[in-house]
């Protein structure tokens, strides 16, 4: 999410989400903190969306609960957003304005132009944002594909024209800034798929990203070429295929697509299954197939599985665990190390430098990537002639002020990460995560005691309950020791006149925790529970 502000007008480019890291136990997804936008809601003129991937649209259903402003995007992106927001019944009707690549329109003091780019999803655009100060170009996610599967090649001519008119600042995708050369064309994957389908008598399953619409089209094309029916497994895959076929972005011969529940009607060589799970996600369709819990598909000898994706950094262990399980079941698995089953949708170094050379920006800000990617992209900009003092690597919440006379960072705005857990948005904070981590690592001890309300004497307990610490039946001596420690703590409270619950709980907790650490060198969470009758 990037916020542009001039005078009394604010526009927002993209509204994405990310997945939680290993420290965010139980969290489903992470969205931006939009406190600053909520504080200035009367000045927000609209959201501009570059393309329909989750890291650019995923937070929209949550953010629009507090900011009911219009969205401007291309037709396919609009279709995907409508599909996503339909799942959130508590959301007010959102206003979406569909604009095709090449469109120009005005929001407040900003003149917006959508520029066609290539990416792994159709209808991706870069944006030229003209303000009274000058023109800023934000590339969105892009690559230069001279032989795209659908649509037109990236509009390099328009980037060049804008460069001649004068570009104040360029904000460029940094995801593949580490990779030299050019990104390969998506058509190369089509050739690799064809080679795998040719003369194959096995049932073929292809796992890929649901959002990689061009990959889905190529799978459908090669399946049709070799006379195979296509079934789809995985909710996100089904939804994307429904939207893209309805809007005409994916074309499939009549009767080619069949329901996953009917696959037993076809012989292995008559069938291709497209599935989610290319990243080894535990609940994905391919994972359920691998571990025998899928209702319709049972994987075994005679199956060829093509994983048409590379592991995202951090997912390698999950992916290779999945591959091992599929191979153990007797399936033939073809993945990135065995064949060219995937190409990136992001620009490599030579493509990035070409965009910089065409636009000739005065200022440059690398975006979309980890810090090391941003740093490398900044170096690429310097190599194309951008002055190093005019290159800015920003951080979430930092304000970059740009004018005709100069540019520099100037303060911050409220920002950060909002955690979504089930239906809860923002109700899981650092304290909750700290407790979850403590519980996951050390377990829980509950000490329950019942007191006489009048005298304060113990009527029942202390009873000890353990979860995730030790199995109580195998640790009777330890359990008895904890019970004695809790009893000693209560006696100490009675002798010293401590009657308030918080004081008694603190004493019980300290005594039990001290005893456990002395005996085991472990520190489980201790939760005293006091009841009075």
């Amino acid at each position: 999410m990037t916020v542009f502000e001039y005078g009394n007008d604010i526009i927002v480019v993209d509204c994405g989400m990310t997945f939680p890291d290993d420290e965010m136990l139980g969290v489903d997804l992470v969205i931006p903190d939009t406190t600053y936008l909520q504080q200035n809601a009367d000045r927000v003129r609209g959201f501009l969306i570059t393309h329909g991937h989750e890291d650019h649209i995923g937070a929209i259903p949550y953010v629009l609960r507090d900011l009911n402003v219009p969205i401007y995007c291309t037709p396919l992106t609009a279709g995907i957003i409508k599909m996503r927001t339909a799942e959130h019944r508590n959301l007010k009707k959102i206003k979406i304005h569909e604009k095709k690549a090449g469109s120009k329109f005005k929001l407040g003091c900003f003149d917006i132009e959508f520029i066609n780019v290539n990416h792994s999803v159709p209808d991706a655009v870069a944006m030229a944002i003209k303000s009274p100060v000058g023109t800023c170009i934000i590339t969105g996610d892009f690559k230069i594909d001279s032989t795209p599967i659908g649509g037109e090649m990236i509009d390099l001519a328009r980037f060049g024209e804008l460069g001649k008119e004068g570009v104040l600042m360029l904000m460029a995708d940094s995801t593949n800034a580490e990779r030299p050369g050019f990104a390969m064309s998506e058509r190369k994957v089509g050739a690799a798929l064809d080679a795998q389908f040719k003369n194959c008598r096995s049932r073929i399953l292809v796992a890929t990203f649901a959002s990689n619409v061009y990959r889905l089209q190529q799978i459908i094309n090669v399946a049709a070429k070799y006379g195979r029916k296509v079934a789809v497994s995985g909710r996100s895959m089904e939804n994307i295929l429904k939207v893209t076929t309805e809007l005409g972005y994916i074309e499939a011969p009549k009767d080619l697509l069949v329901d996953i529940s009917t696959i037993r009607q076809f012989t292995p060589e008559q069938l291709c299954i497209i599935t989610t799970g290319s990243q080894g996600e535990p609940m994905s369709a391919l994972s359920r197939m691998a571990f025998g819990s899928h209702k319709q598909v049972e994987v075994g000898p005679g199956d060829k599985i093509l994983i048409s994706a590379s592991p995202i950094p951090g997912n390698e262990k999950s992916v290779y665990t999945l591959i091992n399980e599929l191979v153990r079941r007797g399936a033939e698995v073809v993945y990135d190390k065995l064949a060219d089953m995937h190409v990136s949708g992001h620009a490599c170094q030579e493509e990035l430098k070409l965009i910089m050379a065409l636009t000739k920006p005065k200022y440059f800000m690398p975006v979309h990537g980890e810090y090391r990617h941003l740093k490398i992209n900044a170096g690429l900009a310097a190599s194309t002639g951008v002055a190093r003092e005019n290159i800015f690597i920003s951080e979430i919440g930092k304000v970059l002020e740009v004018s005709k006379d100069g540019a520099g960072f100037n303060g911050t705005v409220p920002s950060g990460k909002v955690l979504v857990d089930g239906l809860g948005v923002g109700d899981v904070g650092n304290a909750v995560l700290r407790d979850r981590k403590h519980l996951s690592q050390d377990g829980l001890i509950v000490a329950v005691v019942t007191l006489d309300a009048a005298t304060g004497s113990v009527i029942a307990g202390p009873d000890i309950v353990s979860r995730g610490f030790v199995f109580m039946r195998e640790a009777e001596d330890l359990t008895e020791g904890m019970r004695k420690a809790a009893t000693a703590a209560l006696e100490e409270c009675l002798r010293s006149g401590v009657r308030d619950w918080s004081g008694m709980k603190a004493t019980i907790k300290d005594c039990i925790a001290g005893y456990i650490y002395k005996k085991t060198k472990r520190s489980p969470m201790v939760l005293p529970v006091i009841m009075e009758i």
Side-chain angles (χ1 to χ4, degrees):
M1 172 181 282
T2 307
V3 175
F4 292 84
E5 180 175 350
Y6 183 94
N8 202 39
D9 297 310
I10 291 175
I11 59 173
V12 184
V13 176
D14 288 331
C15 186
M17 52 145 277
T18 187
F19 291 107
D21 59 36
D22 293 339
E23 299 294 307
M24 300 177 184
L25 300 172
V27 173
D28 296 323
L29 52 101
V30 183
I31 63 175
D33 183 342
T34 56
T35 300
Y36 180 73
L37 296 179
Q38 293 171 38
Q39 292 170 349
N40 297 274
D42 59 323
R43 300 198 290 132
V44 180
R45 306 300 172 220
F47 280 73
L48 306 166
I49 308 299
T50 58
H51 65 284
H53 281 162
E54 287 294 305
D55 58 330
H56 293 258
I57 67 166
I60 287 176
Y62 304 96
V63 171
L64 260 59
R65 296 177 185 179
D66 303 305
L67 282 166
N68 192 18
V69 295
I71 294 173
Y72 299 82
C73 59
T74 54
L76 177 60
T77 305
I80 296 172
I81 291 172
K82 289 173 185 175
M83 177 188 70
R84 290 280 184 262
T85 54
E87 299 169 358
H88 296 253
R89 293 189 177 87
N90 59 342
L91 195 63
K92 296 177 184 176
K93 186 174 181 180
I94 60 175
K95 301 180 284 288
I96 300 180
H97 301 278
E98 296 182 15
K99 303 285 184 180
K100 292 187 176 181
S103 298
K104 298 179 181 180
F105 54 98
K106 195 172 183 68
L107 285 180
C109 67
F110 297 99
D111 290 305
I112 316 296
E113 179 181 353
F114 282 4
I115 306 167
N116 182 63
V117 297
N118 302 130
H119 190 41
S120 56
V121 64
D123 265 6
V125 291
M127 295 177 188
I129 299 171
K130 297 181 181 179
S131 73
V133 174
T135 299
C136 174
I137 294 177
I138 182 164
T139 66
D141 291 355
F142 82 101
K143 67 188 282 188
I144 298 175
D145 194 337
S146 57
T147 57
I149 298 301
E152 299 177 357
M153 182 182 166
I154 181 173
D155 194 351
L156 294 176
R158 186 55 188 150
F159 282 103
E161 289 167 0
L162 289 165
K164 289 179 180 178
E165 294 170 11
V167 173
L168 184 66
M169 186 168 77
L170 173 67
M171 301 170 69
D173 179 11
S174 308
T175 309
N176 265 355
E178 292 176 319
R179 297 188 183 182
F182 291 82
M184 291 187 296
S185 173
E186 179 67 27
R187 287 193 185 273
K188 184 165 185 179
V189 177
L193 288 168
D194 191 284
Q196 296 296 332
F197 274 70
K198 189 175 182 180
N199 299 324
C200 179
R201 310 303 296 172
S202 305
R203 181 174 64 174
I204 295 178
L205 294 84
V206 187
T208 189
F209 295 109
S211 59
N212 197 333
V213 176
Y214 291 134
R215 190 71 47 80
L216 298 182
Q217 180 68 73
Q218 293 202 96
I219 297 166
I220 288 171
N221 291 347
V222 73
K225 177 180 176 180
Y226 290 103
R228 291 177 182 261
K229 299 290 186 182
V230 175
V232 174
S233 183
R235 190 168 66 92
S236 58
M237 190 76 75
E238 292 167 2
N239 289 339
I240 288 289
L241 196 62
K242 182 174 183 291
V243 171
T244 51
T245 50
E246 286 177 355
L247 295 176
Y249 288 89
I250 281 185
E251 296 179 355
K254 188 179 179 181
D255 300 327
L256 181 81
L257 298 173
V258 298
D259 192 272
I260 191 73
S261 62
T262 67
I263 60 174
R264 296 186 186 279
Q265 300 174 14
F266 305 97
T267 60
E269 62 269 20
Q270 293 177 326
L271 193 63
C272 170
I273 299 173
I274 307 175
T275 178
T276 56
S278 63
Q279 297 302 303
E281 305 95 318
M283 296 306 294
S284 67
L286 187 59
S287 286
R288 286 184 282 121
M289 293 174 197
F291 290 95
S293 60
H294 196 283
K295 291 181 180 178
Q296 286 93 14
V297 183
E298 186 175 337
V299 172
D303 285 328
K304 177 187 275 192
I305 299 170
L306 312 178
I307 299 182
S308 187
S310 297
I312 294 171
N315 289 354
E316 293 90 349
K317 184 177 180 181
S318 299
V319 172
Y320 294 125
T321 298
L322 174 66
I323 291 171
N324 286 335
E325 195 61 33
L326 292 167
V327 173
R328 187 175 286 116
R329 286 181 167 266
E332 177 189 356
V333 184
V334 181
Y335 51 102
D336 64 319
K337 285 183 166 49
L338 302 180
D340 293 325
M341 300 300 298
H342 181 66
V343 298
S344 176
H346 298 269
C348 295
Q349 291 182 356
E350 296 307 315
E351 296 157 275
L352 292 169
K353 288 191 284 189
L354 179 55
I355 293 295
M356 295 168 191
L358 288 170
T359 55
K360 298 188 285 287
K362 182 177 181 181
Y363 302 106
F364 178 75
M365 179 189 285
V367 293
H368 303 164
E370 298 179 22
Y371 191 86
R372 68 181 192 277
H373 303 136
L374 305 181
K375 189 72 175 175
I376 293 170
N377 206 4
L380 296 177
S383 71
T384 63
V386 181
R388 288 199 175 271
E389 62 270 20
N390 290 351
I391 299 172
F392 300 92
I393 300 178
S394 190
E395 296 175 9
I396 294 174
K398 259 190 173 181
V399 177
L400 178 67
E401 288 193 351
V402 184
S403 70
K404 294 175 181 177
D405 302 320
F409 291 113
N410 186 7
T412 59
V413 298
S415 64
K417 299 175 180 179
V418 174
L419 309 183
V420 178
D421 186 0
L423 297 176
V425 180
D427 56 357
V428 174
N430 288 333
V432 174
L433 290 178
R434 195 163 49 245
D435 283 348
R436 288 182 180 181
K437 186 175 182 182
H438 190 180
L439 287 166
S440 72
Q441 293 178 341
D442 304 305
L444 170 69
I445 298 293
V446 181
V448 184
V449 62
T450 305
L451 304 179
D452 186 309
T455 64
S457 59
V458 176
I459 296 174
D463 294 320
I464 305 297
V465 180
S466 168
R467 291 291 182 271
F469 175 59
V470 291
F471 187 54
M472 302 300 284
R473 291 179 185 174
E474 296 177 0
E476 292 181 3
D477 292 345
L478 189 61
T479 304
E480 185 59 30
M482 286 188 274
R483 189 177 291 113
K484 289 179 179 178
T487 302
L490 287 167
E491 291 172 352
E492 174 64 26
C493 289
L494 289 172
R495 279 196 304 271
S496 57
V498 175
R499 289 288 185 272
D500 65 291
W501 280 20
S502 60
M504 295 175 73
K505 285 182 177 180
T507 304
I508 294 170
K509 180 178 178 180
D510 290 344
C511 285
I512 293 177
Y515 172 80
I516 292 172
Y517 188 79
K518 182 179 178 181
K519 291 292 184 180
T520 68
K521 292 295 186 285
R522 290 149 72 182
S523 301
M525 181 180 287
V526 179
L527 185 64
V529 178
I530 298 176
M531 297 182 289
E532 280 188 344
I533 60 172

